Amino acid sequence: MDDSVLIRTVDLVKIYPMGDQKLIALNQVNLILRKGEFAGLVGPSGSGKTTLLNIIGSLDVPTRGSAEVLGEKVETLSHRKAAELRNKHIGFIFQTFNLLPVYTVYENVEFPLLLLDLSASQRKKAVMAALEWVHLADRAKSKPPQLSGGESQRVAVARAMVKRPDLVLADEPTANLDADNSHHILDTMEVLNRDLGTTFLFSTHDQKVIEHLRRKISLVDGRIANDETIGDENRRKRP
Amino acid sequence: MTILKLAVRNLLGGGMKSWLNAVVLSLAYVTIIWTQGLYQGMDRQVSRTMIDAAVGGGQYWVEGYDPYDPFTLQDARLKLTGKLEELAQSGEAAPVLIVQGTIYPNGRVQAALLKGIDPEQKVLMFPSSFLKDSDSEIPALIGSRMAQSTGLGTGDTVTVRWRDVHGTFDAQDLQVVQVMTTSIQTIDIGQIWVPLKKLEEMAGVENEATIVIVKKGLGQAEDVPGWTFRDLDFLLQDIHQIVKSKTVGASIFYAFLLFLAMLAIFNTQVLSIFRRRKEIGTLMALGMTRGKVIALFTVEGALHAILAALIGAVYGIPLLAYFVAKGLGLPVGTADSFGFAMSEKLFPTYSAGLVIGTTVLVFIITTIVSFLPTRKIAKLKPTEALRGKL
Ligand SMILES: Nc1ncnc2c1ncn2[C@@H]1O[C@H](COP(=O)(O)OP(=O)(O)OP(=O)(O)O)[C@@H](O)[C@H]1O
Ligand SMILES: [Mg+2]
């Protein structure tokens, strides 16, 4: 396999049983994503974006076909191996932020590192750096309920980035944010994509996100209907 | 280590509910230690009284002697020889001769054990000295319960009939020189204490005994042929048994308290797993294995026991210390109803073993109860959890 290929799905099918019927959420999806991409799965509600993201994130398994992520075949991974893959290499950002409510901002960002057995000083350095990226170093001691939506999502970005993963999967990261915060968070992620080379894959139907994408993969009814690279001239200018 | 740290954060982050659960658990915890300590204290106190006044440091019994079978008494006596004679001579042991007799108080017939003891003995804290220097032909000492059941009082005489060594019946009057107040029933009910020499005379034997009580702290000197040494474990087993039976009622009470606490914790766990399913999904997405999530929730629940121990220590230690120092006053009359020697004040004892044992027990039960609801997590798909489904 080509070294720069990060994700490769082959004839990926996901079927959900719905009583007697079957719901085909993903239908023969063939997708290749390379290192450093800033791509988005775009499509109407129910088109299979989250399903695809979850399989790529090894949170779910395909019904048929294959999904290879960072050289690992998701369909054959054990639970333990899948957890390890996520812990070491994949960062998640959710629509609803999903911060751990009883932990401080600092502790939330530190969490993935605790699972990685890093030393206390290594953790501290990484957490502070991640908080700097999202401009929240001064809120380290706050608890999630004290944060605004934009701040919460920035904490989530820091938490996803703190271990410097190869891949960040963001499922509708701006759905609960206003325009300013949406652009702000995407700007932050673009900078991280550029500076750290982290690959980003979004799922969205938000025009504001689409404006930032360098690749737009359109899903319709579980199939890839269109896949286009967007040149810089067509992208939103960074402020 | 990490899991423990996270669990502590979660538990303390749980706020009021965690504390409430821990307080309820601490109640059960302190009650267990409190009541067990009370009974341990009771056992110790009773044992000590028994050792001082009746049991001594152990007893040599003539082979075949069975206190529950009066028929064994007929031949249950032996000459003191060797070591036993030595001990008796030096005052380190008190021989007791036991003869089955019958008394006729107020025209009634009543069986009574005649027990001969040396009035000068120093082995037991037993008022045998009342049997000294008496004008009466057969001076007798009885306990207050015996006095009550026979209607005899100090100064009263009563006819006693017994069989001597040849099997011949004989009868004579004895005089009660003292009624002793004792809490110990085993030296009271159905017994009449007389001077050893007198009883030997009556039975027609010399220097013989049925049991030889050794001094407190001496224990078994050596094997003596014809005699069986009964140690304290044996002699006090009835007492231990009675105390144990008393603890049953208390056990039911604190088992109930413990049950309530466990119900609360179980409920909290079930609820917490349900309410935090999205958090569980997030933890899995962040790379936690299911095993670790289960461990986290289990430890979180088990920590209630630690919290309870801490809370329990705050109010339990002063409470227990107070009763250890001041004792617990028993209502008048309870002493007798216990069926064994009880003084008016009970001093509980709290051993390290009791405290540690209870802590470990409560911790293990709490851990199991905390673990059970987490099995739900084992079947949970990360995607479902993230969608807030269970
Ligand atoms: N666990 C599930 N069980 C049954 N059906 C499911 C499940 N998850 C998703 N689906 C169905 O699969 C289809 C694709 O769902 P998916 O969540 O991937 O869509 P989406 O593109 O992310 O939509 P949205 O934009 O609303 O988030 C939908 O019809 C959905 O109802
Ligand atoms: Mg979705």
Side-chain angles (χ1 to χ4, degrees), chain A residues 171-190:
Chain A
D171 193 1
E172 320 232 14
T174 58
N176 284 318
L177 300 180
D178 60 24
D180 279 355
N181 274 309
S182 299
H183 285 303
H184 184 125
I185 208 101
L186 280 151
D187 287 341
T188 306
M189 291 196 267
E190 265 189 90

Side-chain angles (χ1 to χ4, degrees), chain A residues 16-18 23 25 43-52 171-172 203 205, chain B residues 384 387 389:
Chain A
Y16 290 112
M18 293 275 287
L23 193 140
S45 184
S47 56
K49 304 184 293 291
T50 300
T51 305
L52 182 53
D171 193 1
E172 320 232 14
S203 113
H205 41 216
Chain B
E384 310 266 275
R387 277 154 49 109
K389 282 193 175 177

Side-chain angles (χ1 to χ4, degrees), chain A residues 87-108:
Chain A
N87 185 24
K88 287 196 176 142
H89 302 291
I90 305 177
F92 285 90
I93 297 170
F94 305 96
Q95 175 180 338
T96 49
F97 321 139
N98 293 21
L99 299 180
L100 306 170
V102 302
Y103 298 177
T104 61
V105 164
Y106 185 94
E107 289 162 348
N108 262 284

Side-chain angles (χ1 to χ4, degrees), chain B residues 42-281:
Chain B
M42 186 186 286
D43 190 86
R44 210 157 94 180
Q45 220 165 310
V46 174
S47 299
R48 202 180 301 141
T49 319
M50 290 283 293
I51 288 168
D52 284 346
V55 168
Q59 304 177 347
Y60 287 92
W61 288 9
V62 162
E63 264 163 28
Y65 165 61
D66 176 0
Y68 297 108
D69 180 5
F71 293 107
T72 61
L73 279 175
Q74 194 55 42
D75 311 303
R77 51 179 165 252
L78 207 61
K79 256 210 167 44
L80 295 186
T81 50
K83 185 72 193 170
L84 288 187
E85 194 175 21
E86 231 173 78
L87 284 171
Q89 223 103 80
S90 65
E92 287 178 301
V96 173
L97 179 65
I98 306 175
V99 174
Q100 177 69 49
T102 313
I103 54 171
Y104 301 88
N106 306 317
R108 287 185 290 130
V109 187
Q110 214 169 328
L113 284 181
L114 299 171
K115 289 192 170 179
I117 188 165
D118 179 6
E120 310 277 355
Q121 65 78 28
K122 296 273 181 296
V123 171
L124 296 178
M125 278 160 54
F126 176 82
S128 54
S129 56
F130 282 113
L131 300 171
K132 268 195 301 199
D133 319 318
S134 172
D135 300 334
S136 10
E137 188 58 24
I138 309 178
L141 178 65
I142 59 174
S144 42
R145 292 181 192 79
M146 183 63 170
Q148 207 173 21
S149 70
T150 55
L152 293 171
T154 308
D156 291 348
T157 52
V158 66
T159 307
V160 61
R161 189 162 167 268
W162 73 94
R163 257 159 75 159
D164 69 10
V165 69
H166 310 295
T168 329
F169 279 104
D170 213 338
Q172 208 173 335
D173 279 358
L174 55 74
Q175 184 176 30
V176 177
V177 293
Q178 182 69 31
V179 175
M180 57 177 175
T181 333
T182 174
S183 53
I184 305 171
Q185 299 180 359
T186 54
I187 57 169
D188 181 342
I189 294 171
Q191 298 171 41
I192 297 174
W193 294 85
V194 295
L196 179 59
K197 282 281 161 274
K198 188 78 216 171
L199 191 59
E200 283 182 353
E201 217 174 89
M202 289 158 70
V205 298
E206 205 177 322
N207 200 24
E208 289 190 12
T210 309
I211 63 176
V212 177
I213 304 170
V214 304
K215 213 172 181 159
K216 177 164 119 185
L218 269 191
Q220 182 172 20
E222 58 195 64
D223 278 341
V224 186
W227 299 82
T228 313
F229 187 78
R230 301 300 191 184
D231 60 8
L232 292 180
D233 281 347
F234 179 88
L235 294 168
L236 296 174
Q237 66 185 0
D238 288 357
I239 292 302
H240 297 320
Q241 206 53 50
I242 293 173
V243 173
K244 211 177 233 167
S245 72
K246 301 276 168 207
T247 62
V248 171
S251 308
I252 290 172
F253 175 64
Y254 62 63
F256 181 67
L257 264 179
L258 201 58
F259 176 74
L260 280 187
M262 288 306 128
L263 211 61
I265 288 172
F266 186 82
N267 182 50
T268 302
Q269 287 288 90
V270 171
L271 216 75
S272 137
I273 288 166
F274 179 74
R275 268 189 306 131
R276 289 160 63 188
R277 55 206 184 278
K278 212 165 131 185
E279 180 183 331
I280 294 170

Side-chain angles (χ1 to χ4, degrees), chain A residues 54 59-60 79-80 83-84 86-87 92 94 96 98 100-103 107 110-112 114-115 123 159 163, chain B residues 2 5-7 9-10 13-14 278-279 281-290 292 296 381-383 386:
Chain A
N54 283 343
L59 290 170
D60 208 347
H79 282 294
R80 183 181 292 274
E84 194 183 321
R86 292 194 292 270
N87 185 24
F92 285 90
F94 305 96
T96 49
N98 293 21
L100 306 170
V102 302
Y103 298 177
E107 289 162 348
E110 187 188 26
F111 192 91
L114 289 176
L115 300 177
R123 290 202 304 265
R159 183 177 64 183
K163 61 194 176 194
Chain B
T2 307
K5 212 159 92 186
L6 298 175
R9 275 182 203 165
N10 286 343
K278 212 165 131 185
E279 180 183 331
T282 308
L283 294 176
M284 288 174 169
L286 291 176
M288 243 186 167
T289 56
R290 274 185 195 145
K292 273 197 174 161
L296 178 62
K381 285 191 189 157
T383 48
L386 279 168

